[in-house]
Amino acid sequence: MLPTIAREGDVVVMIDQRKLPAQEVYVRCKTAPQVARAIKSMVIRGAPAIGVAAAWGIALGMRRSAATGTQKFAAEFQKTCDLIAATRPTAVNLFWAIERMKQSFGTGAQAGESVDQIKDRLDREAQMIHDEDVASCRAMGAFGADVVPEDARILTHCNAGALATAGYGTALGVIRGAVEKGKRVAVFADETRPFLQGARLTAWELMRDGIDTTIITDNMSASLMAQAKVNFVVVGADRIAANGDTANKIGTYGVAVLAREHNIPFYVAAPLSTIDLRTLEGSHIPIEERNAREVTHVGSSQVAPTGAKVWNPAFDVTPHRFIAGIITERGIFRAPYTESLKQAFETETATPR
Amino acid sequence: MLPTIAREGDVVVMIDQRKLPAQEVYVRCKTAPQVARAIKSMVIRGAPAIGVAAAWGIALGMRRSAATGTQKFAAEFQKTCDLIAATRPTAVNLFWAIERMKQSFGTGAQAGESVDQIKDRLDREAQMIHDEDVASCRAMGAFGADVVPEDARILTHCNAGALATAGYGTALGVIRGAVEKGKRVAVFADETRPFLQGARLTAWELMRDGIDTTIITDNMSASLMAQAKVNFVVVGADRIAANGDTANKIGTYGVAVLAREHNIPFYVAAPLSTIDLRTLEGSHIPIEERNAREVTHVGSSQVAPTGAKVWNPAFDVTPHRFIAGIITERGIFRAPYTESLKQAFETETATPR
């Protein structure tokens, strides 16, 4: 299992995903602001992993609180949640995890628990979010494997792998599931500019697992499809609206259009925590714009003229009509998504946590 | 005028396009093998510029010949042409320019000219190819400007600019033409991985001309179109088949598919020397595959795991059905291309050089 994120005593340890694959460096966060900084600067990224990091950040922050009264403790808790919430706007798992931590806090407070008891409760909740994420990925992998062709040539975009989750991965979980079921699998990884998660992270992960992987630049996927070198596309998601519209790493929408042009099924793999029924459609999803420097520089190399204007949205939205199915830990949901996703949550709510 | 390539005495000088925009370094070629190396290593690139460089390489090589007899001189000429022809397979302008030089040689030889007279003749032919290229670009710019919207938001891919030609540019010539006609123009430049001609060269050229330019990574064009931020696409070409299928920098085909999905006109701008009537359709165009290192490294930064597999085709083919028109120095040709392009050459042949 890849060490994406782990709690070790009073520290949350994350592999620094900005430095992979050249270096395996670990960042040790001792405070909630340090975790917030790690999320914002993309030490850790990927919607589910961001959710897990948010939960650990809150648990860690509250563990260090010197408050003795519950009122002061509650005020600090709110502040910590706000800090973590202000890191990245698009991935809904961040807000989902914060909400889970708030509910946990509320349950403890209502039961009249002491500050120490609530600290323990928050720790347990974070651990549960962490463990559930791995379990979700494995379930997604098992469900998704069924729709992967026997002789699969799979294109994926960005990194929706073990590194984007607490382990195993969403889109890469589906690929791992297919391999475990004995299917023949070759993967093409879009390098995914500007942050290069595909070349740096997806290729690294899959090569470690011995899965046949070929890196292409993002603009090669059309040609790959035209030459029938791909027969399945699977990507992750940062936020799925109630109607199935899916925000994911910039470039995903283009891949979806190209997949449809070439009659290749395009699947999204994501846990239910990525589905946001309160966002009715994709146009309501806030899209983070990041620093121009991510585009103008690669490592120490400047690749654009000084002072060049840049547009750098971190995500795009793929309309639901391009999506063959949404693979979750509860099975694969299909159009019409407004109904199928709503039903998914009705089942979910009925299930005890 | 940008100093893409120039003859200076017995030397051909080229700006080193691998080093732009960080450094303005000039490469001085004294021999035909040096010119061949410059083409192969992409000191100079862009189909029309490659044609001009090929012509100068041959003229330069023969100028340095010590042969006194025409027979020895003819053998050296053939060897030089073969050397230049073996540099890059896709851009047909290379072979077109070599053919022009061969015809010039043949005319001189048939007329019983001396070695020195043929050397002069080859020089004049190279200069003519050079000058015609600039003239073609200006004509293309004037014709193309007419189809550019009054309030244009233009997406272009790779660099089909002054740097890709002897000056002014093909696709960027159309943009320059529109600006000269007083149209309001904003340009989005795909960065164009792996060689980054868009970020490094197109942005640099257009910023020097004071044209509003924004760099995006290749995978952002779909999102840009979905947001109606683009209303015109124009690209260059490396080889246009008789039926209009167009080989151009990798990623062009994807842009064409996306443009059609969003009802945005997609134009190709290229001189007649890029149209190869002997290639009946796109599938017959040889596509160069380049070194993996172009993808795995950017400058000194390694961006992929050591030993990662890479697919690196330098070009793709856009089927003619995606192309709204082919802008040439003789006007804009439209579907059905098999007829319109054939007619273009009938006019061309009738015109004295």
Side-chain angles (χ1 to χ4, degrees):
Chain A
M1 183 71 74
L2 274 170
T4 307
I5 180 165
R7 169 76 178 265
E8 288 180 8
D10 280 354
V11 175
V12 174
V13 185
M14 306 171 192
I15 193 163
D16 189 340
Q17 302 195 25
R18 301 167 307 180
K19 302 215 161 74
L20 286 173
Q23 295 170 276
E24 276 187 43
V25 176
Y26 292 85
V27 171
R28 301 172 66 81
C29 297
K30 293 178 185 160
T31 67
Q34 285 174 354
V35 171
R37 205 147 44 234
I39 295 171
K40 199 169 183 120
S41 66
M42 295 172 73
V43 167
I44 192 164
R45 27 62 54 198
I50 288 172
V52 172
W56 281 128
I58 292 167
L60 197 72
M62 299 324 294
R63 174 62 66 192
R64 292 172 62 89
S65 166
T68 46
T70 45
Q71 208 169 347
K72 179 137 192 288
F73 189 67
E76 281 183 23
F77 176 77
Q78 186 56 50
K79 223 177 116 187
T80 302
C81 289
D82 291 349
L83 176 79
I84 298 283
T87 50
R88 299 193 69 193
T90 305
V92 79
N93 310 60
L94 177 73
F95 309 103
W96 169 88
I98 294 168
E99 195 51 43
R100 283 260 312 246
M101 296 302 276
K102 282 184 178 172
Q103 279 171 14
S104 173
F105 187 101
T107 306
Q110 271 190 333
E113 289 180 357
S114 70
V115 165
D116 280 348
Q117 283 174 315
I118 296 178
K119 285 180 179 180
D120 289 345
R121 172 182 285 279
L122 292 174
D123 261 342
R124 285 195 306 271
E125 190 68 19
Q127 186 65 56
M128 211 181 333
I129 289 172
H130 186 128
D131 295 342
E132 283 174 15
D133 187 61
V134 179
S136 290
C137 287
R138 291 202 175 274
M140 246 175 271
F143 283 120
D146 289 341
V147 291
V148 172
E150 282 302 327
D151 189 1
R153 301 180 300 282
I154 304 175
L155 176 68
T156 189
H157 188 72
C158 195
N159 173 270
L163 289 166
T165 61
Y168 201 73
T170 55
L172 300 196
V174 170
I175 290 171
R176 290 189 166 99
V179 170
E180 285 171 21
K181 286 199 178 157
K183 294 187 173 182
R184 201 144 57 127
V185 170
V187 177
F188 289 91
D190 277 348
E191 65 171 7
T192 317
R193 282 281 290 151
F195 209 66
L196 295 164
Q197 292 93 333
R200 296 191 302 103
L201 309 179
T202 294
W204 183 74
E205 264 196 59
L206 294 179
M207 284 168 73
R208 273 172 65 120
D209 280 9
I211 296 172
D212 180 14
T213 305
T214 304
I215 300 170
I216 58 170
T217 63
D218 300 295
N219 57 21
M220 290 172 190
S221 57
S223 189
L224 199 71
M225 292 182 190
Q227 294 177 39
K229 289 182 175 168
V230 173
N231 58 9
F232 189 80
V233 179
V234 62
V235 299
D238 287 81
R239 187 183 303 207
I240 299 171
N243 70 346
D245 291 354
T246 295
N248 190 45
K249 179 51 54 193
I250 188 72
T252 302
Y253 168 51
V255 172
V257 172
L258 292 169
R260 201 186 55 177
E261 170 71 23
H262 297 91
N263 295 309
I264 301 165
F266 175 93
Y267 280 89
V268 171
L272 290 187
S273 54
T274 302
I275 300 169
D276 179 17
L277 294 186
R278 281 172 297 189
T279 299
L280 297 184
E281 53 172 74
S283 62
H284 301 154
I285 300 174
I287 300 295
E288 176 183 8
E289 291 198 22
R290 294 184 63 85
N291 201 291
R293 200 185 157 88
E294 286 185 356
V295 174
T296 58
H297 291 69
V298 178
S300 56
S301 300
Q302 182 174 338
V303 298
T306 302
K309 266 206 295 188
V310 166
W311 186 53
N312 184 20
F315 306 95
D316 60 24
V317 174
T318 300
H320 58 82
R321 69 180 184 279
F322 292 95
I323 301 171
I326 297 174
I327 303 165
T328 76
E329 69 273 37
R330 295 289 159 108
I332 302 177
F333 297 99
R334 306 218 182 243
Y337 291 106
T338 304
E339 286 155 45
S340 63
L341 295 183
K342 200 170 147 222
Q343 278 167 11
F345 277 91
E346 281 159 8
T347 323
E348 166 76 355
T349 316
T351 309
R353 279 247 166 73
Chain B
M1 182 71 75
L2 274 168
T4 308
I5 181 166
R7 169 76 178 264
E8 288 180 9
D10 280 352
V11 174
V12 173
V13 185
M14 306 172 193
I15 192 164
D16 189 341
Q17 302 195 23
R18 301 167 307 180
K19 301 217 163 72
L20 286 173
Q23 294 169 275
E24 275 187 45
V25 177
Y26 291 85
V27 172
R28 301 172 67 81
C29 297
K30 293 177 187 164
T31 67
Q34 285 174 355
V35 171
R37 206 149 42 236
I39 295 171
K40 199 170 183 121
S41 66
M42 295 171 72
V43 167
I44 192 163
R45 29 61 53 199
I50 288 173
V52 172
W56 280 128
I58 292 167
L60 198 70
M62 299 324 295
R63 174 61 65 193
R64 291 174 62 89
S65 167
T68 47
T70 46
Q71 206 169 348
K72 178 136 192 287
F73 189 68
E76 280 183 25
F77 176 76
Q78 185 57 50
K79 223 176 117 186
T80 302
C81 289
D82 291 349
L83 175 80
I84 298 284
T87 50
R88 299 195 69 192
T90 304
V92 78
N93 310 60
L94 177 72
F95 309 104
W96 169 88
I98 294 169
E99 195 51 44
R100 284 261 310 247
M101 296 302 278
K102 282 183 178 172
Q103 280 171 14
S104 173
F105 187 101
T107 306
Q110 270 190 335
E113 289 180 358
S114 70
V115 165
D116 279 348
Q117 283 174 315
I118 296 178
K119 285 180 179 179
D120 288 346
R121 171 182 285 280
L122 292 174
D123 260 343
R124 286 195 305 271
E125 188 69 19
Q127 186 66 55
M128 212 184 329
I129 288 172
H130 186 127
D131 295 342
E132 283 174 15
D133 188 61
V134 179
S136 290
C137 287
R138 290 202 176 273
M140 248 175 270
F143 284 120
D146 288 340
V147 291
V148 172
E150 281 302 326
D151 189 1
R153 303 180 298 282
I154 305 176
L155 176 68
T156 189
H157 187 72
C158 196
N159 173 270
L163 288 167
T165 61
Y168 202 73
T170 54
L172 299 196
V174 170
I175 291 171
R176 290 189 166 99
V179 170
E180 285 171 21
K181 287 201 178 157
K183 295 189 173 182
R184 199 145 59 127
V185 170
V187 177
F188 289 91
D190 277 347
E191 66 172 4
T192 317
R193 282 281 288 149
F195 209 67
L196 296 163
Q197 292 94 333
R200 297 191 302 104
L201 309 179
T202 295
W204 183 74
E205 264 197 58
L206 295 179
M207 284 167 73
R208 275 172 64 120
D209 279 10
I211 297 173
D212 180 15
T213 305
T214 303
I215 299 171
I216 59 170
T217 63
D218 300 295
N219 57 21
M220 289 171 190
S221 57
S223 190
L224 197 73
M225 292 182 190
Q227 293 177 38
K229 290 182 174 168
V230 173
N231 59 8
F232 189 79
V233 179
V234 62
V235 298
D238 287 81
R239 188 185 302 207
I240 299 172
N243 70 345
D245 292 354
T246 295
N248 189 43
K249 180 52 53 194
I250 188 72
T252 302
Y253 168 51
V255 172
V257 171
L258 292 168
R260 201 186 54 178
E261 171 72 23
H262 297 90
N263 295 311
I264 301 164
F266 175 95
Y267 280 89
V268 170
L272 290 187
S273 54
T274 302
I275 300 170
D276 179 17
L277 294 186
R278 281 171 296 191
T279 299
L280 296 183
E281 53 172 74
S283 62
H284 301 155
I285 300 174
I287 300 295
E288 175 183 10
E289 291 199 21
R290 294 185 62 86
N291 201 289
R293 201 185 156 89
E294 285 185 358
V295 174
T296 58
H297 291 69
V298 178
S300 58
S301 300
Q302 182 174 338
V303 298
T306 303
K309 267 206 294 189
V310 166
W311 185 53
N312 185 18
F315 306 95
D316 60 24
V317 174
T318 300
H320 58 81
R321 69 180 185 279
F322 292 95
I323 302 169
I326 297 174
I327 303 165
T328 76
E329 69 271 37
R330 296 290 158 108
I332 302 177
F333 296 98
R334 307 216 181 243
Y337 292 105
T338 304
E339 286 155 44
S340 63
L341 295 182
K342 201 171 145 219
Q343 278 167 11
F345 277 90
E346 282 158 8
T347 323
E348 167 75 358
T349 315
T351 309
R353 279 248 165 71

